[in-house]
Amino acid sequence: MFDHYSVLEEEVLEGIAIRQEGTYVDCTVGGGGHAERIASRLNENGLLIAFDQDLEALEAAEKRLQPYKDRVRFIHANFRELEEQLAIRQIRSVDGILFDLGVSSPQLDRGERGFSYQHDAKLDMRMNQDQNLDAYQIINEWPYNRLVNIFFSYGEEKFSKQIARRIEANRKEKPIETTYELVEIIKGAIPAPARRKGGHPAKRIFQALRIAVNDELSAFNDALHQAARVVDINGRVAVITFHSLEDRVCKQAFKKWSTPKPVPKNLPVIPEDHRAPFKLVNKKPIVPGESEINDNRRSRSAKLRIAEKVQQWNEEFTYEEGWKKS
């Protein structure tokens, strides 16, 4: 059963400003919570395109959205294929696009997926089970310097070098195969005082591995700029992030998109190619209220940012990725 709690549902619906006959994209359909709410507001002329690279999630969403099957199309693909997949279906522009970047609760709660440090399972962490690279390969085959890079860049882990050294030493004896084996290695590499504060000591490393396995930040940045190109004027792009790296990519991209290029002070009119293609719908991120956090603790780190397209996209407003690559 792929039960999943979708965060900020009402805020997303209001933020995307759905029109009954519009065309919308849910880039991360997951269990279908947001998609169900969007589809319910469309009429027979409306269309929702639902992406997910996790086939299990996509199948669950199809079941949930069965009452709206006449207005929903499902695509098993990474959202970095957004433009390509829309073009195949002869869709050239859309009215709104949603990214919900949270890992679905079933992916975390089902130990066999290998995402969680709280369940013992084979190291995996693949969103798309068809891809080759998994967490086992990274932990057992990537060199020390590359491990340090992803742990520090994607996990912001200050003990990255110590943990990478401990991994390197352990895998010389035998392969590191399970999540619990890795957790014990991480615990052993972090000084006792540091282990007693800041949450679970493996949290940052597991985040870093998941991002690396699924190339999440590059995929998101690629897809975000594709969204900027395909969303129609007056259409909106909404993004829900759950950690600082994702939010930084979104925040900085939206800032660049909504800031006009510099012009001489005495120029009476800003030239069209200097005008910002987007405006911010909310200058500060929208966050869950106390009631939602009480109902779902995993929602507490969620941030929703929304930008509206006001004129044609200009590639000069592209945001270059602001993180170190492994």
Side-chain angles (χ1 to χ4, degrees):
M1 186 67 178
F2 202 98
D3 293 322
H4 175 57
Y5 185 105
S6 298
V7 305
L8 296 164
E9 281 194 1
E10 295 301 328
E11 293 85 349
V12 165
L13 289 172
E14 182 180 346
I16 291 183
I18 297 166
R19 296 187 296 107
Q20 288 185 320
E21 69 285 358
T23 298
Y24 297 88
V25 179
D26 186 339
C27 285
T28 46
V29 70
H34 290 117
E36 183 178 35
R37 298 294 300 277
I38 293 170
S40 69
R41 294 197 175 192
L42 301 176
N43 62 24
E44 65 276 7
N45 296 316
L47 179 63
L48 173 63
I49 309 294
F51 279 77
D52 211 294
Q53 61 180 327
D54 186 330
L55 188 57
E56 184 181 356
L58 202 67
E59 289 170 350
E62 285 195 60
K63 290 180 182 177
R64 182 169 184 169
L65 293 166
Q66 189 67 18
Y68 310 104
K69 62 181 181 180
D70 60 322
R71 67 196 73 166
V72 184
R73 303 291 179 269
F74 296 93
I75 299 176
H76 180 217
N78 188 295
F79 52 42
R80 76 188 325 162
E81 299 175 35
L82 176 63
E83 284 181 302
E84 177 186 346
Q85 294 294 334
L86 292 181
I88 289 170
R89 291 156 180 81
Q90 299 184 321
I91 299 171
R92 291 173 173 78
S93 66
V94 301
D95 298 291
I97 298 177
L98 170 65
F99 294 87
D100 176 356
L101 301 180
V103 180
S104 295
S105 298
Q107 291 168 332
L108 292 172
D109 295 336
R110 290 185 56 186
E112 64 266 27
R113 297 298 297 271
F115 283 97
S116 177
Y117 44 78
Q118 295 177 330
H119 300 279
D120 195 19
K122 185 181 185 300
L123 285 167
D124 191 332
M125 302 193 192
R126 291 172 297 169
M127 297 286 190
N128 182 353
Q129 294 288 296
D130 293 333
Q131 78 174 38
N132 291 321
L133 181 66
D134 61 11
Y136 175 89
Q137 289 181 49
I138 292 177
I139 289 297
N140 286 287
E141 298 174 13
W142 283 20
Y144 165 81
N145 287 338
R146 202 171 182 193
L147 290 178
V148 172
N149 190 13
I150 66 165
F151 294 164
F152 185 76
S153 299
Y154 298 161
E156 300 175 298
E157 172 58 70
K158 64 181 179 180
F159 297 107
S160 295
K161 290 181 179 179
Q162 293 92 322
I163 293 167
R165 282 196 199 97
R166 187 66 67 99
I167 288 170
E168 196 173 39
N170 276 264
R171 71 190 187 187
K172 285 179 181 177
E173 301 296 323
K174 73 174 196 65
I176 301 164
E177 297 187 358
T178 71
T179 53
Y180 275 10
E181 285 179 59
L182 180 58
V183 167
E184 290 306 310
I185 291 167
I186 294 166
K187 286 180 178 178
I190 297 175
R195 290 201 306 268
R196 290 193 287 267
K197 57 184 179 180
H200 196 287
K203 179 179 180 180
R204 289 177 292 275
I205 297 299
F206 272 63
Q207 172 184 294
L209 282 171
R210 195 198 76 224
I211 291 171
V213 167
N214 300 288
D215 195 22
E216 291 180 18
L217 294 177
S218 289
F220 173 47
N221 194 65
D222 289 350
L224 193 59
H225 285 83
Q226 291 178 45
R229 292 192 285 268
V230 301
V231 74
D232 211 350
I233 292 176
N234 300 321
R236 293 183 173 185
V237 178
V239 180
I240 302 173
T241 63
F242 288 83
H243 63 72
S244 60
L245 294 174
E246 298 168 338
D247 188 55
R248 189 182 308 157
V249 173
C250 181
K251 179 182 178 180
Q252 295 301 324
F254 279 11
K255 181 180 180 181
K256 186 159 187 178
W257 297 1
S258 60
T259 304
K261 290 193 292 183
V263 295
K265 289 184 178 179
N266 297 326
L267 206 64
V269 178
I270 298 176
E272 188 170 328
D273 64 349
H274 281 57
R275 295 175 192 164
F278 279 81
K279 70 175 183 180
L280 300 180
V281 174
N282 55 314
K283 292 186 178 180
K284 291 186 177 180
I286 299 167
V287 297
E290 186 176 343
S291 175
E292 180 167 3
I293 292 172
N294 288 337
D295 289 340
N296 176 25
R297 287 188 67 253
R298 286 176 179 157
S299 72
R300 66 190 182 279
S301 58
K303 293 181 178 180
L304 170 62
R305 297 184 187 274
I306 306 165
E308 180 178 327
K309 195 170 188 177
V310 293
Q311 70 169 37
Q312 288 302 323
W313 173 251
N314 183 330
E315 290 294 341
E316 292 183 39
F317 285 87
T318 299
Y319 166 66
E320 299 298 331
E321 298 101 321
W323 65 89
K324 297 177 184 176
K325 292 189 175 181
S326 58

